[in-house]
Amino acid sequence: MKKPLVKILSIAIVCTLFNTQMNSQNKDIEKKIDSLMNLMTLEEKVGQMNQYNGFWNLTGPAPEEGNAKLKYDHLRSGLVGSMLNVRGAENARKIQEIVVNETRLGIPLIFGYDVIHGQKTITPIPLAEAASWDLKAIEMSARVAATEAAAEGIHWTFAPMMDISRDARWGRVMEGGGEDPYLGAKIGVARVKGFQGDDLSAPNTIAACAKHFAAYGFAESGKDYNTVDIGTSTLYNIVFPPFKAAVDHNVRTVMNSFNILNGIPATGNKFLQRDVLKEMWGFDGFIISDWGSGKEMIDHGFAKDLKEVARLAANAGSDMDMESYAYVAHLKDLVESGTVSEKVIDQAVRRILRVKFELGLFDDPYRYCDTVREQELMNHPDHHAAALDMARKSIVLLKNEGNLLPLTKDQKKIAVIGALASDKNSPLGSWRLASEDNSAVSVLEGLQRYSSEITYARGPELVVGETTFINEVRINETDRSGFQEAVQLAKNSEVVIMVLGEHGFQSGEGRSRAELDLPGLQQELLEAVHGVNKNVILVLNNGRPLAFPWASENIPAILEAWQLGSQTGHAVAQVLFGEYNPSGKLPMTFPRSVGQVPIYYNHFNTGRPGPIELVFWTHYIDENNAPLYPFGYGLSYTEFSYSDLKIDAANPKDVKVSVTVTNKGDRMGEEVAQLYIRDKVASNVRPVKELKGFEKFSLKPNESKKITFSLTENELGFYMPDGDFVVEPGEFDVMVGGSSVEGLSGSFVLK
Ligand code: BGC
């Protein structure tokens, strides 16, 4: 059953050729590209490969000096193919007019922007959305973002981030789909579909960008931009699958990454960009570098100067240069001196033009620049309804001792404590560039709408100083003013809702943490409040898994509410008061302590899995091996039971696993049934568990549903360290349940 690499390669190539030939629209586009490229000078071609940041607003006069002037001049002489951070239909039009009217060929620009979780209407941070395991809702959320972004003149988002990460210290875990490649791939594809739709030229779709290729999520010690050093088995089985899935679903662009892989920076990495992405997977869109990642190859010690950067990056297959100024300065000379072949340039330009044609920019370069449409669509009520739906579905109930939750409408004397409760900015999370500051519904506002019994005490201030993209968020560690008021209020209340966690700007790019606790004085406040009132409901706001073993042990109810975007307060209130029954499941393992990191459910067994009486097994002497909360975990206000596991392995290409799930409680709820397998003996060792299927569905009280999963070769096989995909016969364990640690188990033999 082994499939040799050559075969996979040739299938990929045949498929690409077939698809290209089949689609007459594509054929038409290829012809148009041919004609256009025949007219282009080498310099104009290189211009298409150059992207600048557009930080100025061209509704005023043209810039007269410095960097802005250079960019403006380059725009006018056809040396720019794309800009990022140009936003607003009017601004976009003004800049587009420059190239359309003033350059020789009038090739329109493609405007890119980081539309990460919403444009004006902000949806939950991607990690939170991943906790919903709800692919339809995630697709809808991306569509909302695309609709608003497209109406603001944007053609292309630098999302979704497809980096799998097992390290909660890494601030960018908030941007991704979590730790698992299977779930990550499904979510990534849902986002690509949401952004791109079926027709890239439609006014509510934009090109997506699978980023960061590759292995950026494996930065050592969770420190952003740090060295990556992983084996090829991890590369093929954990890092690549979401990207491969995105390419299979026609993602139009891919961004490379800041890190090195096997000593080679991703931007100059031919193996990643040419061999894997373009050749092996048949990717026919274009690759954009990450911001300045080209010139960072000098700091990495891989290129001696910008000229070498241009040569290495272009030859390795990085098609467009974001803000390194390397291509525009040197590519023409490099081609003329014979150092870079013109074919390399032609290939890159063809890819870029292809996406521009698909977006319809040659039919109408201003099709995304309609100010009336912009007015109508920003913050549209339908978008906020979708954001609320997504936010409710992203919440994970971690603990609910004695059914403290949900609160009833007649609950008396509810105290709300914590600076994050009234904050209207932090819930928007990191990476929400186009949103209005302080535009979220705060948790306090959401709760006040539900009950007149709410009294609020802020407690100590959380953040010291200003929270901007430039300043690092500084957490108050000394000022206890507000403690007393909070404790007094808790004493006089029946139940206390404490909103604690991280500020929205404590995660995201460049925001790695060495600790994973509740920052600042929050733990101390929590213990002080708990000292006077045990009925504490802890609502966590955070952009990454946190370690809070004390709270987990002592606080009766804990709700993981991440940063949920514009509708945060309404979503949290609806869950706390039971209007929505929580259904989220963790997309990343929550550690007990930072020393356990990286911690992930799909680890290997090792040769000494233990436990044994002697100390010589894989464990810590001062910490448990188990996480605080495992991958896939999340409670509901009702209970689900699993029964009747059946496995039919008669057809080795389609093993059927079925199970019956019953709602045993007295309220309607949604469950995510998860299927895990373990390939017991393999020529390259397999993890103790791997997610290979899931389904989310809702059940009324006492209702049952039979769920059937299919395990095909895609799910049963794996990649060998050389990239060869194999399916090996033998024994497999199967587990189906409501998390990665509980459920029914069985096994089968694959013939
Ligand atoms: C980030 C990318 C982002 C780019 C443009 C970089 O610093 O790594 O993810 O798309 O900036 O804003």
Side-chain angles (χ1 to χ4, degrees):
M1 259 193 238
K2 266 191 169 201
K3 284 189 196 134
L5 182 61
V6 205
K7 197 165 152 202
I8 298 177
L9 251 171
S10 52
I11 292 171
I13 292 165
V14 170
C15 286
T16 319
L17 290 176
F18 179 72
N19 287 339
T20 316
Q21 281 159 9
M22 278 298 289
N23 191 327
S24 65
Q25 195 201 349
N26 288 357
K27 248 176 151 179
D28 196 35
I29 286 181
E30 297 307 312
K31 272 198 202 147
K32 288 178 179 164
I33 298 173
D34 287 339
S35 323
L36 182 55
M37 284 182 57
N38 279 337
L39 302 174
M40 292 170 80
T41 62
L42 176 58
E43 193 172 47
E44 283 162 341
K45 287 179 189 168
V46 169
Q48 287 303 304
M49 298 168 70
N50 182 33
Q51 185 190 58
Y52 282 147
N53 184 33
F55 52 87
W56 79 95
N57 169 339
L58 265 198
T59 45
E64 296 206 338
E65 54 188 28
N67 192 281
K69 165 140 175 46
L70 173 105
K71 289 180 180 179
Y72 184 72
D73 290 346
H74 280 185
L75 274 173
R76 299 181 68 192
S77 42
L79 287 177
V80 187
S82 170
M83 298 207 75
L84 78 151
N85 292 336
V86 169
R87 181 169 64 81
E90 198 182 338
N91 281 340
R93 176 180 289 272
K94 285 271 188 267
I95 294 177
Q96 193 71 288
E97 274 170 355
I98 299 173
V99 296
V100 171
N101 298 336
E102 300 185 40
T103 66
R104 198 177 69 92
L105 294 172
I107 301 174
L109 295 164
I110 173 171
F111 293 122
Y113 201 79
D114 289 281
V115 187
I116 307 298
H117 55 114
Q119 186 69 357
K120 280 278 186 292
T121 305
I122 299 297
T123 48
I125 57 168
L127 184 66
E129 290 194 357
S132 73
W133 297 52
D134 189 322
L135 302 176
K136 281 269 157 286
I138 293 172
E139 184 178 334
M140 175 56 84
S141 169
R143 174 55 51 84
V144 163
T147 304
E148 291 193 1
E152 280 216 293
I154 292 156
H155 311 130
W156 169 29
T157 174
F158 305 126
M161 187 185 94
M162 300 270 192
D163 297 306
I164 296 301
S165 180
R166 298 161 162 180
D167 198 325
R169 293 170 298 184
W170 190 49
R172 297 197 82 166
V173 296
M174 56 78 45
E175 253 182 278
E179 76 187 35
D180 182 68
Y182 182 87
L183 179 63
K186 297 276 180 209
I187 288 173
V189 167
R191 290 198 172 121
V192 169
K193 283 190 195 161
F195 288 131
Q196 295 191 166
D198 298 327
D199 174 9
L200 211 54
S201 69
N204 62 344
T205 58
I206 54 181
C209 178
K211 73 186 189 186
H212 307 83
F213 199 65
Y216 180 41
F218 279 75
E220 276 182 359
S221 60
K223 204 160 38 169
D224 211 0
Y225 319 119
N226 205 7
T227 304
V228 171
D229 194 5
I230 59 170
T232 48
S233 172
T234 302
L235 190 64
Y236 280 105
N237 289 292
I238 305 292
V239 171
F240 282 168
F243 289 98
K244 164 96 170 53
V247 170
D248 290 345
H249 286 84
N250 203 29
V251 69
R252 299 320 287 136
T253 71
V254 170
M255 185 183 288
N256 58 37
S257 56
F258 292 126
N259 55 285
I260 58 166
L261 186 69
N262 271 322
I264 308 211
T267 310
N269 200 310
K270 177 175 166 294
F271 162 73
L272 285 175
Q273 300 177 105
R274 282 203 192 280
D275 302 352
V276 174
L277 195 54
K278 293 179 177 175
E279 295 275 318
M280 203 193 289
W281 298 348
F283 171 62
D284 70 349
F286 70 88
I287 302 179
I288 172 86
S289 81
D290 202 346
W291 179 289
S293 64
K295 66 173 182 268
E296 287 177 16
M297 294 202 290
I298 300 172
D299 297 292
H300 279 296
F302 189 67
K304 77 169 185 301
D305 54 24
L306 213 53
K307 190 166 188 173
E308 213 167 81
V309 165
R311 174 177 64 81
L312 290 164
N315 281 339
S318 180
D319 301 310
M320 189 183 274
D321 174 7
M322 181 194 288
E323 278 286 315
S324 275
Y325 300 75
Y327 287 0
V328 69
H330 298 291
L331 266 188
K332 182 167 169 272
D333 288 352
L334 286 166
V335 172
E336 280 166 358
S337 64
T339 318
V340 170
S341 118
E342 186 156 4
K343 209 170 121 203
V344 164
I345 311 297
D346 284 350
Q347 286 168 346
V349 174
R350 172 170 288 279
R351 287 168 179 274
I352 293 164
L353 294 177
R354 184 177 291 142
V355 176
K356 289 187 176 184
F357 272 110
E358 289 169 355
L359 281 161
L361 292 174
F362 286 94
D363 298 332
D364 177 5
Y366 309 110
R367 73 189 317 157
Y368 300 85
C369 304
D370 176 346
T371 47
V372 177
R373 213 180 124 68
E374 184 178 32
Q375 279 278 307
E376 277 169 12
L377 288 174
M378 288 310 125
N379 279 313
H380 193 283
D382 290 353
H383 300 170
H384 280 274
L388 175 58
D389 181 55
M390 188 72 257
R392 305 189 311 181
K393 287 176 168 159
S394 304
I395 293 172
V396 186
L397 179 63
L398 295 177
K399 188 176 173 191
N400 194 16
E401 210 171 71
N403 291 331
L404 187 55
L405 288 172
L407 298 171
T408 56
K409 284 236 168 188
D410 48 18
Q411 173 78 54
K412 297 275 179 280
K413 291 178 131 182
I414 307 172
V416 176
I417 294 174
L420 283 173
S422 58
D423 201 305
K424 291 172 68 62
N425 213 27
S426 171
L428 298 172
S430 205
W431 276 122
R432 33 73 163 202
L433 303 184
S435 68
E436 301 290 341
D437 273 349
N438 296 306
S439 60
V441 177
S442 73
V443 173
L444 184 62
E445 288 168 335
L447 288 168
Q448 279 165 339
R449 189 156 129 184
Y450 255 86
S451 165
S452 52
E453 290 287 330
I454 306 277
T455 319
Y456 176 59
R458 194 195 63 176
E461 211 177 344
L462 178 70
V463 173
V464 194
E466 244 189 287
T467 53
T468 64
F469 279 102
I470 294 152
N471 296 332
E472 292 195 346
V473 173
R474 284 179 301 121
I475 297 300
N476 163 29
E477 289 181 343
T478 50
D479 178 10
R480 288 180 175 72
S481 56
F483 253 68
Q484 217 191 339
E485 188 203 355
V487 171
Q488 196 53 44
L489 175 64
K491 217 187 242 174
N492 298 332
S493 303
E494 283 181 14
V495 63
V496 184
I497 298 170
M498 292 198 73
V499 185
L500 305 176
E502 295 178 324
H503 190 275
F505 286 145
Q506 273 184 286
S507 54
E509 186 176 349
R511 277 87 171 200
S512 298
R513 287 186 64 198
E515 301 293 344
L516 292 174
D517 56 355
L518 296 171
L521 297 169
Q522 296 180 95
Q523 177 67 32
E524 200 178 312
L525 180 67
L526 179 63
E527 291 184 30
V529 166
H530 182 259
V532 298
N533 189 336
K534 301 284 179 257
N535 283 338
V536 176
I537 297 156
L538 173 59
V539 175
L540 288 166
N541 288 181
N542 39 297
R544 53 157 68 77
L546 294 179
F548 41 89
W550 184 90
S552 183
E553 174 99 34
N554 294 286
I555 301 298
I558 305 178
L559 202 65
E560 175 51 74
W562 316 101
Q563 283 119 11
L564 296 172
S566 305
Q567 293 290 324
T568 290
H570 293 319
V572 171
Q574 288 188 13
V575 168
L576 289 177
F577 281 93
E579 184 174 326
Y580 181 79
N581 189 352
S583 63
K585 306 271 186 179
L586 295 179
M588 263 188 103
T589 306
F590 276 42
R592 304 178 56 80
S593 59
V594 77
Q596 289 182 314
V597 175
I599 182 168
Y600 47 98
Y601 85 94
N602 49 353
H603 59 84
F604 296 108
N605 203 34
T606 81
R608 295 192 176 192
I612 56 170
E613 274 173 26
L614 299 176
V615 296
F616 305 113
W617 63 288
T618 313
H619 74 303
Y620 301 102
I621 58 169
D622 59 354
E623 182 57 281
N624 224 306
N625 266 357
L628 193 62
Y629 294 103
F631 175 82
Y633 171 85
L635 303 172
S636 160
Y637 294 149
T638 186
E639 241 180 84
F640 299 99
S641 75
Y642 285 73
S643 60
D644 216 12
L645 176 72
K646 291 208 174 73
I647 304 171
D648 176 359
N651 177 359
K653 287 190 176 5
D654 188 6
V655 175
K656 296 282 188 212
V657 178
S658 67
V659 78
T660 300
V661 187
T662 306
N663 181 347
K664 303 230 300 182
D666 55 7
R667 62 168 73 214
M668 172 135 146
E670 285 162 279
E671 170 68 329
V672 183
Q674 302 158 42
L675 166 81
Y676 297 86
I677 63 164
R678 177 175 182 184
D679 183 345
K680 298 286 290 278
V681 179
S683 49
N684 200 252
V685 290
R686 308 307 307 140
V688 293
K689 242 169 237 178
E690 291 179 274
L691 181 73
K692 291 295 177 182
F694 65 88
E695 196 173 320
K696 186 166 189 172
F697 48 89
S698 86
L699 289 177
K700 297 193 200 91
N702 293 319
E703 195 187 355
S704 295
K705 184 176 163 90
K706 183 174 169 188
I707 309 292
T708 304
F709 298 99
S710 250
L711 292 170
T712 68
E713 290 194 329
N714 285 340
E715 288 79 32
L716 295 168
F718 61 90
Y719 290 91
M720 293 293 282
D722 60 0
D724 195 358
F725 188 77
V726 295
V727 184
E728 294 184 340
E731 196 184 347
F732 284 75
D733 285 343
V734 171
M735 193 199 87
V736 185
S739 87
S740 64
V741 294
E742 64 203 325
L744 302 175
S745 44
S747 62
F748 67 91
V749 174
L750 188 74
K751 301 246 168 55

